[in-house]
Amino acid sequence: MSARVARPVGTVTRGTTNPNRLRRMDRWIAHAHGSALRRGDDPVAVDLGYGAAPWTAVELLGRLRVVAPRVRVVGLEIEPARVVAARPYERDGLVFRHGGFEIPGSQRPLLIRAANVLRQYDEGEVAGVWERLCGRLASGGLLVEGTCDEVGRRHVWVALGPEGPRTVTFAARLGSLERPSDLAERLPKALIHRNVPGEPVHAFLRDFDRAWAAAAPYASYGARQRWIRAVRDLAVDWPVVDGAGRWRQGEVTVRWGALAPRG
């Protein structure tokens, strides 16, 4: 009798996806984690829950190989039909497998990217999923979990190591923003219901809007210069961990502890 195959952990989600939807997250990963991927003996990255089409996994391979030529990407989907549909897109360094939060396979990945997956779960489930995924990371590995809009203009993600959450990154096509708090609609599940008075993420977005308003004179030089000025002022009171090079990309990264939900 053949051994019973364990059922993947998780539930099937909508699977909505579009080409280039995750370019902002990928760009940040290549910058922040590229050196760790280069150093790995056999670096593996997992695109968890890539959805109804394989575009995000295909793009992840191309973007990571610019900074880490030996990296391999595994696309994981809990819906078997999506895995079958993706198989024709396999190539050197890219495979598609059936799986979920258990991250099947004997090799621990140096990167797990889970975009627009936990948004469809309950808030109370997030901590357990984070712990499970972080427990599958290789030494020096990174989990990036977050949410973006349908075409990747607005994106917020949490970066976690084996020890837990480290930072939160806000990223946008700046021309699409009226104010920084427009990004609130894309907060990851761990934060989106905490954008209420008394919670740190609400205070952060309030202060960001105030800094943005104070930086209005810089708008004549473009939205990028206004964003840079606003983030520079914001960093006086909030633990911003990146610099102007990333701000020019329409990003800002803050320590998780400053935004973590109370209680």
Side-chain angles (χ1 to χ4, degrees), residues 67-112:
V67 296
R70 294 181 294 107
V71 73
R72 295 185 291 117
V73 170
V74 178
L76 277 185
E77 248 300 333
I78 199 168
E79 171 54 65
R82 295 173 184 171
V83 180
V84 172
R87 288 267 164 80
Y89 295 88
E90 292 187 339
R91 62 192 68 179
D92 175 44
L94 176 62
V95 296
F96 295 93
R97 297 289 183 265
H98 184 215
F101 297 139
E102 77 284 0
I103 311 295
S106 59
Q107 185 172 355
R108 292 178 179 269
L110 267 171
L111 171 69
I112 300 173

Side-chain angles (χ1 to χ4, degrees), residues 122-185:
D122 291 333
E123 182 184 1
E125 298 177 271
V126 172
V129 172
W130 278 1
E131 184 176 5
R132 178 185 286 270
L133 294 178
C134 288
R136 288 292 293 140
L137 289 171
S139 176
L142 189 71
L143 165 64
V144 182
E145 187 273 308
T147 304
C148 69
D149 67 2
E150 289 73 12
V151 293
R153 294 172 301 177
R154 302 176 182 181
H155 209 152
V156 187
W157 60 82
V158 181
L160 307 93
E163 78 287 357
R166 296 173 177 172
T167 60
V168 185
T169 299
F170 298 79
R173 181 179 180 273
L174 297 179
S176 74
L177 290 183
E178 182 177 346
R179 58 182 65 87
S181 62
D182 290 348
L183 286 163
E185 66 185 22

Side-chain angles (χ1 to χ4, degrees), residues 9-32:
V9 178
T11 57
V12 177
T13 57
R14 291 190 298 273
T16 305
T17 188
N18 280 306
N20 277 325
R21 188 181 188 188
L22 302 183
R23 61 192 179 278
R24 299 182 192 282
M25 179 184 275
D26 291 350
R27 182 174 61 196
W28 183 89
I29 290 170
H31 168 78

Side-chain angles (χ1 to χ4, degrees), residues 15-74:
T16 305
T17 188
N18 280 306
N20 277 325
R21 188 181 188 188
L22 302 183
R23 61 192 179 278
R24 299 182 192 282
M25 179 184 275
D26 291 350
R27 182 174 61 196
W28 183 89
I29 290 170
H31 168 78
H33 201 50
S35 60
L37 293 169
R38 282 195 300 275
R39 291 192 302 267
D41 293 332
D42 183 20
V44 172
V46 170
D47 183 13
L48 177 61
Y50 57 83
W55 317 134
T56 62
V58 172
E59 292 165 353
L60 182 63
L61 177 68
R63 290 165 182 155
L64 291 184
R65 283 203 160 177
V66 172
V67 296
R70 294 181 294 107
V71 73
R72 295 185 291 117
V73 170
V74 178

